Amino acid sequence: MSNDKPTTHPFNLTSPQNDVSHLAPSDAERFKRESNFLRGTIAQDLENGITGGFNSDNSQLIRLHGMYQQDDRDIRAQRAQQKLEPLINMMLRCRLPGGIITPEQWLAIDKFAQEETWYGSIRLTTRQTFQFHGIFKRDLKSAHQLLNKIGLDSIATAGDVNRNVLCTSNPIESEVHQQAYQLASQISEHLLPKTRAYVEIWLNGEKLATPDQEPILGSNYLPRKFKTTVVVPPLNDVDVHANDLNFVAIAEQGQLVGFNVLVGGGLAMTHGDKTTYPRKADDFGFIPASEALRFAEAIVTTQRDWGNRSNRKNAKTKYTLERVGVANFKKEVELRAGMEFLPSKPYQFTQRGDRIGWVKGIDNHWHLTLFIENGRLLDYADKPLKSGVAEIAKIHRGDFRLTANQNLIVASVAASQKADIELIARKYGLIDDRFTLQRQNSLACVSLPTCPLAMAEAERFLPNFITTIDTIMAKYNLSRDYIILRVTGCPNGCGRAMLAEIGLVGKAPGRYNLYLGGNRAGTRIPRLYKENITVDEILACIEPLIASWSENRQAEEGFGDFVIRSHVVEPVINSAIDFYQ
Ligand code: SRM
Ligand code: SF4
């Protein structure tokens, strides 16, 4: 039996009109409930060779196993004309807490991407893991079996569960980083679905006699996706305010003493629906390091029981907090954890981007952060990036770390190997001195052609757009500076444009909403400046602002702070109230 029942009545602390538990559950709740702990009829569906896809419930259910059913949108119309089914294939997202992967594992996934996927790429994501795009149904089992063979899996990287747990990159730089990484791994394991469905379906595991139990997630799993990070200030490279739950490491004299816990961040919205908005996480207070798992569980189960299971657009923790009140949610968490939060400890975030290039760690080993544009590792004609990483993996004795900015760290390199690794990186275009700081501080989500929700280009649009921005920056003597610039192909916000200094949110092909005024630390949500404009119009808007920033900025003032100080846009203070004002 699963522990689905709340420990107290969900809304005995707040007004009854905020109770949504009596509303009809969404269809997602039905298929989760009927799925027999995530099995559905996936196994039978796999045998059906007539279609390249899964039936509708299974196509949703496979998400909780880490896959999305997609088709290539570039050739959709052409195939329809030929009376062919769309080119249905799956995207598979690996679980990689803290983004750590060994060279041996890398070589195995590199080979798989090359030989078994339609697109032949490895895509590093904004959540410190990688995706294969274009696996056909017939090859899915071998993909999972390969991952299993090398000690990886894709469980709970999608769907209504706790997703891949992020951790500030380069954990071996100090003891605090190491402890943070350990916590990220522990949280990932602790909150993982306990069903054997994954093992049975993909790894041909025996069905056990004992019934399945989901003591933390419940048999209906969570109301919506749930995202967790462990972050080590002053670097906010994981973008805490995009996440439901964040453990902010607090160190004293170089030793981790505990965490400030931030709850309820999230960036998605829906065009035209003002009940949806990006929201920053609230600081609940400080907890000792030893209590982190207990609090993680209490927060997840509170959201499990109090989250909106009727309307998926308002189901994330950020909306639960707004509906029941932050104080009430926090009180319930304390009740469940059996412990109160202590007053928060001071900390500061100063930056988000990765430190591209070499840094030396405490153990005298070196770490090389490679800038991977849009996280796409592919063998382009002029720069075989994917092969380059594979060549490094062949000689590298440390590990790789994927960052939440879609970059790759070659970690723990002995001084004696530094030159060899750099030589390979340069030869394959993985180090390119022409990359400007601007390019390195820009992000795009995947978008077309694989994302079914894309409204405008993002990944394929950004590189050329940055070339134009580079020219503008140079014109105003800003080549050695940068603006955090991000583009997402739709308002779901996978490229985290809603925490950018300049954010572009896809509205229609070639048209975007332009947001301004986030800050470099990632602690302010930008505001809508112009709606539904073309790329030329975007450039016409931002060039004069960049010129003015260059001319009138205060020392070290970022572009986002400048546009707020100059009243180009007013700051978003409390997005639940003022985001649409
Ligand atoms: Fe995302 C859905 C790609 C990070 C908010 N996201 C999707 C899907 C799976 C489209 C779909 O549902 O069919 C996209 C697949 C595109 C493709 O072809 O690969 C997709 N999301 C991505 C990635 C790959 C973007 C990237 O360029 O790196 C990121 C994968 C992360 C990972 O490894 O787990 C990715 N997605 C994010 C982030 C950023 C973050 O977490 O730091 C967000 C905003 C933060 C947040 O959650 O508020 C994000 N993705 C969404 C949403 C909106 C959720 C919501 O609250 O409403 C959707 C749509 C949904 O869930 O209904 C979505
Ligand atoms: Fe797709 Fe939209 Fe996410 Fe971009 S932001 S990957 S277009 S869902």
Side-chain angles (χ1 to χ4, degrees):
M1 204 185 77
S2 72
N3 177 19
D4 277 351
K5 290 277 172 233
T7 54
T8 59
H9 185 274
F11 299 100
N12 60 359
L13 299 169
T14 185
S15 60
Q17 70 265 27
N18 287 338
D19 185 353
V20 289
S21 60
H22 61 284
L23 299 176
S26 70
D27 192 51
E29 295 303 320
R30 177 197 57 77
F31 78 72
K32 283 185 283 179
R33 189 181 61 250
E34 290 174 359
S35 75
N36 183 19
F37 294 93
L38 308 185
R39 289 176 181 81
T41 53
I42 296 173
Q44 293 88 314
D45 220 343
L46 274 174
E47 305 296 318
N48 176 2
I50 293 169
T51 163
F54 288 88
N55 78 34
S56 96
D57 279 2
N58 291 337
S59 71
Q60 298 298 313
L61 215 50
I62 56 168
R63 295 185 174 195
L64 289 105
H65 298 244
M67 287 160 293
Y68 289 83
Q69 182 164 311
Q70 305 186 320
D71 74 292
D72 189 316
R73 292 179 59 182
D74 283 349
I75 55 172
R76 198 186 270 178
Q78 180 196 331
R79 287 183 64 96
Q81 251 177 9
Q82 295 167 337
K83 307 238 176 314
L84 292 171
E85 182 177 78
L87 190 71
I88 298 176
N89 57 72
M90 312 302 146
M91 175 265 274
L92 188 151
R93 188 183 282 162
C94 187
R95 182 170 68 98
L96 217 54
I100 299 191
I101 183 165
T102 66
E104 295 73 28
Q105 290 169 329
W106 187 275
L107 286 171
I109 65 159
D110 177 80
K111 186 166 183 290
F112 183 86
Q114 193 62 38
E115 293 173 3
E116 310 288 345
T117 72
W118 177 252
Y119 297 97
S121 73
I122 297 174
R123 176 56 156 75
L124 311 184
T125 76
T126 50
R127 294 195 69 74
Q128 267 187 328
T129 184
F130 66 86
Q131 293 180 173
F132 295 121
H133 286 101
I135 308 180
F136 293 111
K137 193 164 118 181
R138 60 171 184 265
D139 298 323
L140 281 175
K141 266 196 174 180
S142 48
H144 289 290
Q145 287 171 6
L146 166 86
L147 289 181
N148 180 56
K149 196 167 145 203
I150 59 176
L152 299 175
D153 62 60
S154 68
I155 303 170
T157 53
D160 298 342
V161 283
N162 181 56
R163 304 284 188 93
N164 195 44
V165 180
L166 305 189
C167 179
T168 297
S169 296
N170 212 356
I172 61 162
E173 221 186 326
S174 74
E175 279 177 41
V176 178
H177 280 91
Q178 269 172 6
Q179 289 163 328
Y181 168 67
Q182 276 157 14
L183 177 63
S185 304
Q186 285 164 4
I187 295 172
S188 177
E189 292 301 322
H190 192 63
L191 300 180
L192 219 52
K194 305 291 182 265
T195 170
R196 296 227 343 134
Y198 183 90
V199 175
E200 281 172 25
I201 298 169
W202 308 109
L203 309 179
N204 301 329
E206 293 289 309
K207 202 170 172 28
L208 294 185
T210 46
D212 286 294
Q213 286 193 1
E214 292 289 9
I216 298 176
L217 299 171
S219 55
N220 253 38
Y221 297 85
L222 301 181
R224 201 64 165 94
K225 57 173 70 168
F226 190 93
K227 297 181 171 178
T228 305
T229 78
V230 184
V231 62
V232 185
L235 197 58
N236 181 18
D237 59 345
V238 297
D239 254 328
V240 291
H241 292 294
N243 291 273
D244 298 70
L245 169 58
N246 304 277
F247 292 93
V248 181
I250 304 294
E252 285 168 8
Q253 280 96 44
Q255 289 300 311
L256 181 78
V257 290
F259 301 95
N260 283 355
V261 181
L262 308 190
V263 182
L267 303 184
M269 57 187 164
T270 302
H271 288 315
D273 180 350
K274 291 188 178 174
T275 70
T276 66
Y277 45 84
R279 183 186 190 278
K280 280 173 51 183
D282 287 285
D283 193 337
F284 274 26
F286 175 84
I287 57 162
S290 56
E291 307 305 329
L293 282 189
R294 177 206 293 254
F295 274 92
E297 187 173 322
I299 290 162
V300 166
T301 60
T302 303
Q303 163 61 4
R304 176 195 70 193
D305 298 336
W306 289 18
N308 186 332
R309 288 184 186 263
S310 173
N311 178 357
R312 289 182 66 74
K313 288 210 178 300
N314 292 131
K316 283 202 77 184
T317 316
K318 60 179 178 178
Y319 300 117
T320 314
L321 288 183
E322 291 297 335
R323 180 165 47 80
V324 307
V326 174
N328 290 332
F329 193 104
K330 180 175 159 186
K331 206 164 167 185
E332 178 67 13
V333 169
E334 292 178 330
L335 208 70
R336 292 179 187 218
M339 224 180 138
E340 289 189 358
F341 288 96
L342 300 168
S344 292
K345 304 247 182 197
Y347 69 94
Q348 210 192 357
F349 289 131
T350 54
Q351 67 171 102
R352 276 182 292 172
D354 296 332
R355 290 159 296 192
I356 306 299
W358 289 102
V359 293
K360 195 175 183 184
I362 43 165
D363 56 357
N364 282 334
H365 276 70
W366 289 84
H367 316 293
L368 172 63
T369 305
L370 300 170
F371 167 64
I372 310 296
E373 191 157 33
N374 298 322
R376 183 72 68 180
L377 284 167
L378 184 65
D379 282 345
Y380 300 96
D382 55 339
K383 40 178 186 168
L385 301 180
K386 186 170 138 302
S387 292
V389 178
E391 287 305 309
I392 292 176
K394 284 179 193 162
I395 64 160
H396 180 39
R397 296 193 207 104
D399 55 38
F400 292 110
R401 283 140 202 246
L402 279 54
T403 82
N405 294 307
Q406 303 168 333
N407 294 320
L408 183 69
I409 301 173
V410 188
S412 284
V413 177
S416 57
Q417 269 214 315
K418 223 178 135 206
D420 291 345
I421 286 184
E422 179 158 343
L423 201 68
I424 300 172
R426 286 190 181 277
K427 180 174 161 198
Y428 287 84
L430 290 158
I431 296 180
D432 184 336
D433 297 329
R434 291 168 301 178
F435 289 148
T436 57
L437 265 184
Q438 181 55 55
R439 198 172 291 276
Q440 291 169 356
N441 283 283
S442 303
L443 271 187
C445 72
V446 176
S447 198
L448 292 156
T450 53
C451 179
L453 308 177
M455 298 173 173
E457 294 281 354
E459 180 180 324
R460 298 193 295 196
F461 156 78
L462 189 68
N464 286 342
F465 184 71
I466 294 300
T467 304
T468 312
I469 298 290
D470 277 346
T471 312
I472 297 174
M473 294 287 277
K475 187 169 158 190
Y476 299 104
N477 301 316
L478 291 165
S479 293
R480 297 171 75 84
D481 216 314
Y482 66 92
I483 299 167
I484 294 184
L485 189 156
R486 295 171 172 184
V487 51
T488 69
C490 83
N492 284 320
C494 307
R496 295 197 292 262
M498 296 319 293
L499 285 170
E501 295 182 283
I502 295 179
L504 301 179
V505 176
K507 187 88 191 202
R511 303 187 83 91
Y512 299 84
N513 285 355
L514 170 61
Y515 290 81
L516 300 176
N519 61 10
R520 287 196 173 168
T523 55
R524 192 170 57 225
I525 288 169
R527 184 176 286 288
L528 181 64
Y529 181 62
K530 286 273 161 29
E531 198 172 353
N532 197 19
I533 57 176
T534 63
V535 177
D536 285 346
E537 288 166 333
I538 294 166
L539 292 168
C541 283
I542 60 181
E543 178 163 352
L545 295 174
I546 292 176
S548 177
W549 173 49
S550 171
E551 174 116 1
N552 304 311
R553 70 193 292 197
Q554 295 174 346
E556 305 294 314
E557 188 177 35
F559 178 82
D561 287 343
F562 171 75
V563 293
I564 295 287
R565 185 173 59 80
S566 334
H567 298 287
V568 175
V569 288
E570 293 307 313
V572 172
I573 309 283
N574 178 349
S575 61
I577 296 167
D578 67 1
F579 185 66
Y580 290 104
Q581 281 171 3

